[in-house]
Amino acid sequence: MMGIFGSMMGIFGGYKASKLKPQLKMAVTRFQIAGNKKSALMKQQIREIATLLADDPPKEEKARIKAEALIRDDNTVEAYEILQLNCDLLSERIHLITHSRDCPPDLVSCISTLIWASGMVDIPELIEIRKQFRYKYGKEFDAAAMQNLGGVINERVAARLSVQPPSAYLVQTYLEKIADEHEVDWKPKVPLKAGDIAEPMPAPVGVSVPVGGGSGLNPSVPYDGGSGSNNSAPQQQQQQQQQQ
């Protein structure tokens, strides 16, 4: 009966080493291509951020948003490299996987991480890889990986692919390093407070957006968002007119 069942699984779907290994190999190549593409785009992002910081006045808020995107891409490339190593290892151990009824203990984290990452990164080969491991080890193993039960996922990959935004401190560190490397004389307009270091970057309020910048009739008056009032810019204009 088991022989007949196994044959039927092979016809209608089931674990096949002949499918899994090529997908692992292709995933390695895909990770390399995707990582190289992101790295090239990041160089362009860095130049754009340096230009924003060099503007007079600096477009600091926009630079911070772009820096957050840069950090996310940096983290993704880092995760790609780890996932690529996982695919390499599993490809080399395909015979062990095939002839082991249960998942080898030293491969649980590696396989679980690839299963979990299949829903986090745009690498199509991971979908088939996940399917093959679900056939091999069952739906419970697959569900445990997707939910990270018992902390089986590689912690570094989980952190790098997290949907949580980077801390304000990390964003500012990136900006300072970019300014330094591109010889831009820039310092943050609003220094970070101790309580804000570990928090995400606050939403922009338009501090770096000049008043009347569209018409060019009043480009020298920046919006003073420090008071938290929407009327601060008009009040500043009135004060200037009275002084004149």
Side-chain angles (χ1 to χ4, degrees):
M1 289 293 293
M2 287 298 294
I4 296 174
F5 179 75
S7 298
M8 291 180 66
M9 284 293 289
I11 295 172
F12 298 108
Y15 171 78
K16 293 180 182 178
S18 60
K19 279 191 176 182
L20 177 58
K21 186 167 184 177
Q23 291 296 323
L24 290 167
K25 290 287 188 182
M26 286 190 287
V28 169
T29 302
R30 184 85 66 176
F31 278 125
Q32 290 174 336
I33 294 172
N36 291 338
K37 184 177 180 180
K38 279 192 176 292
S39 295
L41 289 174
M42 283 192 289
K43 292 179 181 178
Q44 180 180 339
Q45 287 176 289
I46 290 172
R47 290 193 295 268
E48 291 175 355
I49 292 171
T51 300
L52 291 171
L53 295 179
D55 280 350
D56 186 19
K59 294 183 173 63
E60 185 174 316
E61 289 177 308
K62 191 168 185 177
R64 288 183 183 278
I65 294 171
K66 284 186 173 291
E68 184 171 315
L70 176 65
I71 292 169
R72 188 169 300 281
D73 285 342
D74 221 356
N75 288 343
T76 301
V77 170
E78 186 178 329
Y80 279 178
E81 292 183 5
I82 298 171
L83 293 170
Q84 180 182 327
L85 292 173
N86 287 350
C87 289
D88 272 328
L89 176 62
L90 296 177
S91 178
E92 289 300 319
R93 297 192 183 178
I94 194 71
H95 294 299
L96 173 63
I97 293 169
T98 301
H99 293 92
S100 300
R101 180 177 178 179
D102 298 321
C103 182
D106 59 329
L107 295 182
V108 170
S109 178
C110 183
I111 293 173
S112 297
T113 300
L114 286 182
I115 291 173
W116 176 83
S118 66
M120 302 297 294
V121 298
D122 188 20
I123 303 295
E125 287 78 9
L126 290 187
I127 303 299
E128 180 61 30
I129 290 170
R130 177 188 174 186
K131 188 186 299 182
Q132 287 298 314
F133 283 125
R134 186 167 62 243
Y135 287 143
K136 178 67 176 174
Y137 299 124
K139 292 181 180 179
E140 289 186 4
F141 185 95
D142 181 82
M146 293 303 292
Q147 297 172 35
N148 193 21
L149 296 181
V152 292
I153 306 303
N154 181 295
E155 291 184 3
R156 192 169 165 192
V157 171
R160 295 300 178 261
L161 296 181
S162 171
V163 297
Q164 295 301 317
S167 68
Y169 174 77
L170 184 59
V171 171
Q172 183 158 306
T173 300
Y174 266 64
L175 292 178
E176 290 174 346
K177 191 167 184 179
I178 290 171
D180 182 59
E181 290 182 352
H182 287 77
E183 298 180 347
V184 176
D185 185 15
W186 171 83
K187 295 294 180 185
K189 185 173 182 179
V190 181
L192 283 178
K193 298 178 182 178
D196 299 333
I197 289 178
E199 297 297 320
M201 178 182 66
V205 295
V207 172
S208 58
V209 178
V211 176
S215 65
L217 298 178
N218 196 9
S220 61
V221 182
Y223 172 73
D224 182 10
S227 63
S229 170
N230 291 332
N231 298 322
S232 58
Q235 289 174 356
Q236 190 174 12
Q237 289 177 312
Q238 292 175 2
Q239 289 174 0
Q240 286 194 346
Q241 291 171 355
Q242 292 173 359
Q243 290 174 358
Q244 291 174 355

